[in-house]
Every structure is written in C-alpha cells, then in structure tokens.
Amino acid sequence: MNYIEQIDRNNIPQHIAIIMDGNGRWAQLRGKERAEGHQAGAATVRSLVENCVRMGVRYLTLYTFSTENWNRPAAEVAALMALLFEQIEEEIFVKNNVGFRVIGDMSLLPDKVRERLEACIARTAGNDRMTLVLALSYSAKWEITEAVRSLARKAKAGEIAVEDIDEKMISQELTTNFMPDPDLLIRTGKEVRLSNFLLWQAAYSELYFTEVLWPDFDNEQLHKAVYEYQHRQRRYGLTGEQVTNEEK
Ligand code: IPE
Ligand code: IPE
Ligand code: MG
C-alpha cells in the first residue's frame, strides 16, 4: 500500500512525539559498533524532519537522550554527545523555516554541546513553519518533580493559592508549556513501554508501536503511522456515537 496517497491532508497530527529506539540493535545485527547505529539514526532524523515539514506537522518532539541514558558506558555517552554536537547545524533549520527547542536538564550536558544548542535555539527563534524539540537529558519524572517544586515555592511565597492549582497550571510548569500535547506518540524498536517520556502530556495521545528499528524508520514508515492515526477514533471518554454526532 502506498500510504502517502491515502493520507488525509486535513487531519495531519499537529504534534508528533517519537521514542527513537533500536539504534544499538540495528548496529549489532550488522556486526557494527553501537555508535554506528547512532550515526545511522541521525540520518533518519534529518530526512524525517524534512518529511514532517512537508506534511504540515507543527511540532515534532524526539526522545534523543533520557536521564537514565547517563548510566550507559562512558564511551557510548561520549559518542552520543559528540554526534549531537556534530549534527546540530543551523542550515537544515534555516532552509526549512524550522524553530529548534530542547526540553530536559541541559545543565548536565557538556559545555560545548550546551553552547551550540543554545546558539541554535536563539538563532531559530523566529522560525515558525515547524518546531523541532529534542528531549535531551530528559525524563518525565524529573520534569514533574521540577514542576511540583516550582509550584510549592510559589505557594509558599504567597504568589498562588493551593486551591488555584489545576491541570492547566501544572501543564504551564512543564518544559513543554509552549506546545500542545502530542496527538501521536510513536515508539520504534519493538519495546512496548514509555521509558519515562512525556507521562503527563501523553495522557490522550494515540500510541503507535512498531518493530522497525530507528535507522530503518523511513518516510514510508512515518506515513504508515500517520495513516493508522487517522483511522483511530479519539473519544476522550465519550461514546463513539457522541463523537460521530459532534463531527457532523
Ligand atoms: C536509542 O537506541 C537511542 C538512545 C537511547 C540514545 P538504543 O541505543 O537504545 O538502541 P537499542 O535499544 O540498544 O537497540
Ligand atoms: C528510550 O530508549 C530513550 C530514548 C530513545 C532516548 P532506551 O533504550 O533508553 O529505553 P529502555 O531503557 O530500553 O526502556
Ligand atoms: Mg534502546
């Protein structure tokens, strides 16, 4: 099936979030070093960004490095940081009018990497065709803990009343406060888990799991995921009939 022709251009997910998993296994299957899998994964990211821009996606969030990934062997962490440094080029953002953001604890990143990321964020701030968000040194439990601390500080200082804390206020405290929640959350690489990614924001995301390893996740794979997304009914607790009537 040629998915791209089947996609409804009027129902493109506004925000797609992806857990890019399977680089290491992709490399191992080929008798290569894990780092080569990460290199191949980076190439997938580049073509994916352009494809999402073309489709009209507004926000693309990529789980690039988790808080837990700091516990990997030092050589692999170093290789990932070096790759990140090398891959952040403004050219692709400028060419496609894409804004760049990072969510996560950037203070833990090597200075050189953080400076390059910050420069790229600043220089692409006015780009508005799509926003590419890298989740780096990110975990949902870290983010929620930070939000709770911040709200507690504000309550203690008398800036807010405890009774005023609602879902909207909590969302505003999260690192993702500049964008809507993901409509579609994709995980590649066979595992069926969230691994501490966007736990609050994915409350009503459509989940899509595929066995395809990240370096093999090509445009056709993305179109397939979007096609499947378009064939789900997002009910938000209502009955199917209620939703169908609302659409009329
Ligand atoms: C995902 O691929 C990339 C990162 C977590 C940085 P993995 O490196 O986890 O690949 P597998 O799961 O070992 O195959
Ligand atoms: C999740 O992948 C994190 C990223 C893709 C950056 P992992 O490979 O770290 O996840 P687990 O540990 O297998 O759940
Ligand atoms: Mg993995």
Side-chain angles (χ1 to χ4, degrees):
M1 183 151 144
N2 188 358
Y3 290 99
I4 186 72
E5 284 164 13
Q6 306 295 322
I7 286 177
D8 175 1
R9 293 277 154 186
N10 299 315
N11 185 21
I12 298 294
Q14 244 200 107
H15 181 180
I16 299 180
I18 308 184
I19 302 172
M20 310 184 286
D21 196 21
N23 293 347
R25 279 162 288 157
W26 182 92
Q28 276 154 358
L29 279 170
R30 287 163 180 74
K32 296 180 174 177
E33 295 293 320
R34 290 178 60 85
E36 289 186 59
H38 297 313
Q39 290 271 2
T44 301
V45 171
R46 286 195 301 271
S47 76
L48 174 84
V49 168
E50 298 203 324
N51 194 22
C52 284
V53 168
R54 274 198 301 274
M55 279 203 310
V57 173
R58 299 306 313 275
Y59 298 91
L60 175 64
T61 302
L62 302 177
Y63 203 10
T64 307
F65 192 85
S66 72
T67 304
E68 288 77 15
N69 289 150
W70 288 115
N71 299 320
R72 290 195 177 191
E76 181 165 344
V77 172
L80 280 164
M81 291 300 144
L83 181 63
L84 189 60
F85 182 78
E86 162 197 315
Q87 292 293 325
I88 300 300
E89 303 159 4
E90 279 149 40
E91 207 186 291
I92 185 166
F93 298 110
V94 173
K95 193 172 90 189
N96 295 293
N97 190 14
V98 169
F100 178 65
R101 307 279 296 237
V102 171
I103 56 171
D105 189 354
M106 281 177 84
S107 71
L108 299 177
L109 297 170
D111 292 345
K112 221 173 76 159
V113 173
R114 191 180 53 251
E115 283 158 17
R116 180 165 281 195
L117 293 167
E118 278 166 354
C120 191
I121 293 166
R123 292 207 192 104
T124 62
N127 294 1
D128 59 6
R129 187 155 177 209
M130 186 181 87
T131 303
L132 172 69
V133 183
L134 294 192
L136 269 178
S137 189
Y138 172 90
S139 79
K141 287 192 175 182
W142 162 79
E143 163 178 63
I144 292 167
T145 306
E146 289 297 309
V148 170
R149 282 190 186 150
S150 167
L151 288 173
R153 270 194 297 268
K154 287 180 187 171
K156 201 173 163 198
E159 290 165 27
I160 57 166
V162 170
E163 293 69 30
D164 292 341
I165 298 175
D166 57 11
E167 290 180 11
K168 206 169 151 210
M169 200 185 274
I170 294 171
S171 293
Q172 276 308 310
E173 289 293 335
L174 299 177
T175 60
T176 49
N177 59 9
F178 58 92
M179 59 180 166
D181 287 343
D183 300 295
L184 171 61
L185 191 155
I186 298 171
R187 182 177 188 140
T188 63
K190 291 194 179 85
E191 312 303 344
V192 184
R193 55 177 172 254
L194 293 177
S195 302
N196 217 349
F197 187 47
L198 302 178
L199 297 182
W200 172 276
Q201 299 87 338
Y204 258 111
S205 301
E206 293 300 327
L207 308 182
Y208 179 88
F209 295 95
T210 169
E211 299 209 341
V212 172
L213 302 172
W214 179 249
D216 295 327
F217 192 81
D218 57 13
N219 289 346
E220 180 67 359
Q221 293 297 329
L222 178 74
H223 298 148
K224 188 177 172 195
V226 170
Y227 176 84
E228 185 169 314
Y229 163 84
Q230 292 183 338
H231 288 79
R232 307 256 183 102
Q233 187 182 43
R234 304 186 78 184
R235 286 194 285 276
Y236 297 99
L238 303 184
T239 65
E241 289 74 18
Q242 282 177 297
V243 175
T244 320
N245 291 337
E246 237 172 56
E247 278 164 3
K248 276 181 195 154

